[in-house]
């Protein structure tokens, strides 16, 4: 029987590109499936509209009467677009999105069928939450959790085939009030950041009354043919290939990056982009990435909470649309060994309600000082809480990237470029311990005149830094491609808020002592530069020198998830999240537990699939070929051919036999190690056992022998699609 592998290869050429509707103008469809404020204006009464706008601004809760009116308007709009069902849409800690569909349809007491959508249904639902991770918060007897409408994120219509569903963005909370999703703490971190940042802004500009964080993510992914995917059980179950010999041609020719996009993939891109535009996701760029079959897309940045929703929504859309094109999107951080992995750079900045980007150098001395304040506070925040940022991006998948010399290392450092390094050095070098009146000269730091230089600095910017300043924003590059951005963003917002609060205290206390405001600000900035400069690094983050240097500087280097996660539950972290009203002690511990569980499950699944592939795919293929060789040698011997002339066959036979033995032996041992690990109760110990005694101990060694077999066994016997087929055939 023909194997799935050969079927997949044969089918490729008969795979016609799927017809994609031409989209003449993006503005023509942009936001068509979103209940935007403009739509709200059209479908809501003045009163209901005002109430919605107020609640979006975070000023006022919506009362029941208004909720009913808004719900009715939303339903009217949705029905005008052919929607029959609605769902609360949320982002549980599994890392995917969740929905439970209900129809508008119901039957009244007297038996009349009607379509209705009440305010209550808009505001709250009680999905059976027992199947979502809760880290021990929710005992089974109180398995209920509820979702609550988040008016700051607009409702939208998800089109799946011909079906259309109204999705209401919500947060997900346990019955006892603990948050169980990514969104709720993110919203709280934004609130706390807003207050802290406005207070500091008011030193410079009394008109600023709101500060929001902005996020522009860059999503990397791989695309492969569906039939190839289906012939790789490891991709299906774990999202990455656990075996596979590197192809003769990898990415060394660097011919993929910015190369032209293959037609079939191009069709997929146009298709998912159109879907995204309808959902209001402002996609802007698409291009090939470094590795073969790897791509990236990025939107125009938005407010963090919306950008987070849009990223999770996009991943969902891409996955669905890919199936339409008989393709599969791989979001895993490392689907293929030996070729680059995928990340999700998080470009982050702060914007005021007066339209100022706080991380863009200003045009006047005063705004420059404001820039410098926020710039230095960010550096200080990353310095003080580097371990917390590291924990926020820890996952089994990301462990393959961080520290693998292709993505930033697991050591958190900040790159600011040569020009700003000089500026900080200038500030630092000013007068011994204090600034006096003459030093007001420093306020005239003419940053703005040097912007061209600044930009120049950024064109050849450092790609090895996990956290880099890129002209008017910071780019957090260590985030993994599967991540929900809410996790790193919540941490970043919170540490920034904490740092800004401290900054305000420090400045105020100098002012109380009689310093002039600007002098006090400069003074504290200077202190912060001095106390956090060890986090600054401009060199090659991949180099051994940096690892040594970082160790000398005392910067943490935690390459593995189980240990990196410790930073979530230190006294420092708990104090940080509690005092900023982002998460309670209980919530943080639950999240820590969930992350450990996720890690354990990932490694467990990978170990299982490795074992299964060896026994059911690899070894049978190798033994088949082994038998062919044995028969061949026997035959040659039988007809009296001199032994010398089949020495080669014998040698191959010996090698294959050795690898077969090794594989089956190592797999047995790995299974034993897994059994031992499974008995461990405590999650952290169990995660570490999985990492050290299962993954580190066996994954690479088993793979080594399997990949050797792939080279030795005749191609026709091999049933798993090979790297060159998955990455280069299209
Ligand atoms: P590169 O690949 O060179 O890093 P891209 O242009 O692909 O750059 O991505 C840059 C991302 O940064 C985009 O998503 C862009 O919208 C985003 N960005 C630009 N300015 C800001 C800002 N002020 N805040 C947040 N993100 C921003
Ligand atoms: Mg980037």
């Amino acid at each position: 029987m023909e194997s799935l592998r050969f079927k997949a290869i044969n089918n490729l050429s008969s795979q016609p590109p799927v017809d994609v509707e031409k989209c003449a103008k993006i503005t023509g469809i942009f936001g068509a499936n979103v209940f935007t404020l403009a739509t709200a204006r059209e479908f809501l009464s003045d009163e209901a509209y005002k109430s919605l706008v107020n609640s979006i601004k975070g000023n006022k809760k919506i009362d029941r009467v208004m909720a009913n009116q808004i719900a009715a308007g939303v339903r009217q709009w949705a029905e005008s677009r052919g929607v029959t069902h609605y769902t609360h849409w949320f982002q549980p800690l599994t890392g995917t999105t969740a929905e439970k569909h209900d129809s508008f349809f119901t039957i009244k007491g007297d038996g009349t069928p009607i379509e209705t959508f009440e305010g209550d249904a808009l505001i709250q639902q009680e999905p059976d939450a027992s199947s979502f991770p809760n880290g021990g918060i929710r005992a089974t007897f109180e398995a209920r959790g509820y979702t609550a409408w988040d008016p700051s994120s607009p409702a939208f219509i998800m089109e799946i085939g011909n079906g259309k569903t109204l999705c209401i963005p919500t947060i997900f909370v346990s019955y006892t009030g603990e948050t169980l999703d990514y969104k709720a703490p993110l919203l709280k971190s934004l609130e706390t950041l807003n207050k802290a940042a406005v207070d500091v802004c008011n030193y410079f500009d009394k008109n600023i009354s709101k500060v929001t964080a902005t996020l522009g993510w860059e999503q990397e992914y791989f695309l492969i043919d569906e039939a190839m995917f289906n012939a790789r059980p490891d991709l299906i179950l774990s999202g990455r290939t656990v075996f596979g010999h590197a192809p003769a041609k990898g990415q060394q020719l660097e011919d993929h990056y910015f190369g032209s996009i293959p037609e079939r993939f191009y069709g997929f891109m146009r298709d998912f982009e159109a879907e995204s535009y309808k959902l209001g996701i402002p996609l802007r760029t698409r291009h090939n990435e470094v590795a073969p079959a790897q791509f990236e897309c990025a939107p125009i940045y938005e407010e963090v909470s919306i950008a987070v929703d849009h990223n999770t929504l996009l991943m969902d859309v891409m996955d669905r649309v890919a199936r339409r094109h008989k393709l599969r999107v791989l979001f895993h951080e490392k689907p293929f060994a030996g070729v680059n992995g995928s990340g999700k750079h998080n470009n982050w900045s702060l914007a005021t309600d007066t339209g100022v980007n706080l991380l863009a150098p200003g045009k006047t001395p005063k705004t420059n000082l404001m820039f410098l304040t926020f710039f230095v506070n960010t550096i200080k925040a990353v310095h003080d809480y580097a371990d917390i940022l590291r924990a926020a991006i820890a996952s089994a998948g990301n462990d393959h990237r961080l520290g693998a010399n292709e993505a930033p290392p697991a050591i958190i450092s900040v790159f600011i470029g040569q020009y700003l390094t000089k500026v900080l050095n200038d500030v630092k070098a000013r007068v011994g311990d204090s600034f006096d009146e003459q030093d007001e000269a420093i306020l005239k730091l003419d940053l703005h005149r040097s912007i061209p230089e600044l930009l120049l600095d950024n064109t050849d910017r450092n790609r090895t830094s996990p956290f880099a300043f890129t002209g008017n924003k910071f780019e957090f590059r260590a985030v993994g491609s599967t991540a929900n951005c809410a996790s790193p963003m919540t941490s970043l917002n919170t540490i920034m808020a904490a740092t800004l609060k401290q900054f305000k205290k420090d400045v105020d206390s100098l002012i109380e002592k009689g310093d002039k405001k600007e002098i006090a600000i400069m003074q504290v900035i200077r202190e912060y530069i001095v106390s956090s400069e060890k986090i600054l690094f401009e060199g090659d983050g991949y180099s051994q020198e940096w690892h040594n240097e970082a160790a000398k500087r005392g910067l943490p280097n935690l390459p593995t998830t189980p240990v990196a996660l410790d930073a979530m539950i230190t006294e420092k972290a708990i104090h940080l999240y509690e005092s900023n009203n982002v998460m309670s002690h209980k919530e943080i511990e639950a999240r820590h537990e969930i992350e450990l569980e996720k890690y354990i499950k990932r490694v467990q699944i990978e170990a299982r699939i490795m074992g299964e592939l060896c026994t059911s795919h690899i070894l049978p293929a190798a033994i088949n070929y082994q038998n062919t060789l044995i028969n061949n040698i026997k035959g040659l011997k039988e007809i009296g051919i001199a032994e010398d002339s089949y020495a080669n066959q014998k040698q191959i036979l010996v090698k294959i036999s050795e690898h077969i033995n090794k594989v089956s032996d190592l797999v047995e041992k790995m299974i034993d190690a897994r059994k031992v690990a499974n008995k461990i109760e405590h999650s952290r110990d169990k995660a570490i056992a999985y990492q050290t005694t299962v993954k580190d101990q066996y994954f690479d060694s088993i793979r080594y022998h399997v990949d050797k077999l792939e080279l030795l066994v005749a191609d026709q016997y091999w049933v798993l699609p090979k790297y060159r087929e998955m990455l280069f055939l299209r």
Side-chain angles (χ1 to χ4, degrees), residues 214-218 285 296 298-301 347-349 357 461 463 472-473 475:
T214 51
L215 165 65
W217 38 261
E218 301 163 50
T285 42
E296 177 188 294
I300 298 166
Y301 69 92
N347 296 272
W348 173 90
S349 190
N357 175 354
R461 61 178 202 244
R463 295 227 152 238
N472 56 4
K473 61 190 185 291
E475 184 169 342

Side-chain angles (χ1 to χ4, degrees), residues 216-218 220 287 289 296 298 344-347 461 463 470 473 475-477:
W217 38 261
E218 301 163 50
E220 292 183 332
H287 62 77
E289 265 304 323
E296 177 188 294
K344 175 149 55 196
H345 296 176
N346 277 203
N347 296 272
R461 61 178 202 244
R463 295 227 152 238
T470 52
K473 61 190 185 291
E475 184 169 342
F476 192 10
R477 301 221 184 92

Side-chain angles (χ1 to χ4, degrees), residues 351-357:
T352 69
D353 56 348
T354 56
V356 175
N357 175 354

Side-chain angles (χ1 to χ4, degrees), residues 104-205:
F104 293 137
F105 168 78
T106 186
I107 294 177
K108 277 169 83 167
D110 65 359
T112 326
I114 56 158
E115 247 109 30
T116 175
F117 185 44
E118 304 277 336
D120 286 349
L122 168 70
I123 288 181
Q124 190 168 320
Q125 264 193 339
E126 290 189 16
D128 173 24
S130 52
S131 47
F132 295 107
N134 61 72
I137 278 186
R138 201 168 1 79
T140 32
F141 63 85
E142 44 175 49
R144 270 185 304 172
Y146 61 90
T147 50
W149 180 34
D150 164 21
S152 69
S153 185
F156 58 89
I157 295 167
M158 184 64 118
E159 292 183 41
I160 304 164
N162 289 327
K164 293 182 177 185
T165 306
L166 169 69
C167 296
I168 311 288
T170 54
I171 57 168
F172 181 40
V173 191
S174 79
Y175 192 61
T176 43
E178 282 86 13
T179 60
L180 291 172
D181 70 346
Y182 282 107
K183 212 44 202 308
L186 176 70
L187 295 174
K188 291 182 178 178
S189 76
L190 287 165
E191 229 175 275
T192 210
L193 175 63
N194 171 38
K195 264 202 214 100
V198 166
D199 280 350
V200 171
C201 281
N202 288 344
Y203 283 137
F204 309 95
D205 184 350

